[in-house]
Amino acid sequence: MENVETKIKNILNRIRPYLQNDGGDAEFVKFEDGIVYIRMLGACIGCGSLDSTLKDGIEAILLEEVEGVIGVENVE
C-alpha cells in the first residue's frame, strides 16, 4: 500500500503537465501535520491565479484523494 507522501507525489505528477502548459510547475517540499507544502515554480510565481490554482485545484484534489491531508501551503 502506498504511503501518504507517495500518493501526494503521484497526484502532483498528474497535475504538473497542466501547470507546465502555462509555463509553471509545482514541487513537493514536505508533508507535515496534515499540511502539504508545495513550492510553485516558473510562471506560477507572482501569477494572479496562484491562490486559485493552489486552493481550488491542487488542494481540492489532495483533500478528496488522500486521507490525512487537511490543507496545502505554498513555500516560497
Side-chain angles (χ1 to χ4, degrees):
M1 185 175 169
E2 288 181 307
N3 69 23
V4 172
E5 200 168 292
T6 301
K7 284 183 182 179
I8 292 167
K9 288 177 182 178
N10 287 339
I11 290 168
L12 286 176
N13 284 335
R14 287 195 341 237
I15 297 168
R16 289 178 73 214
Y18 299 100
L19 298 171
Q20 291 168 344
N21 281 341
D22 290 328
D25 207 346
E27 175 185 64
F28 174 81
V29 176
K30 66 180 177 177
F31 176 67
E32 186 174 274
D33 299 325
I35 305 295
V36 179
Y37 294 89
I38 294 174
R39 182 175 293 114
M40 301 303 284
L41 305 167
C44 290
I45 298 170
C47 173
S49 299
L50 176 62
D51 289 339
S52 177
T53 299
L54 205 58
K55 297 296 180 184
D56 299 336
I58 297 171
E59 184 178 77
I61 293 166
L62 290 175
L63 287 171
E64 185 176 311
E65 295 194 25
V66 184
E67 188 174 331
V69 171
I70 60 171
V72 174
E73 293 292 329
N74 184 35
V75 175
E76 299 196 17

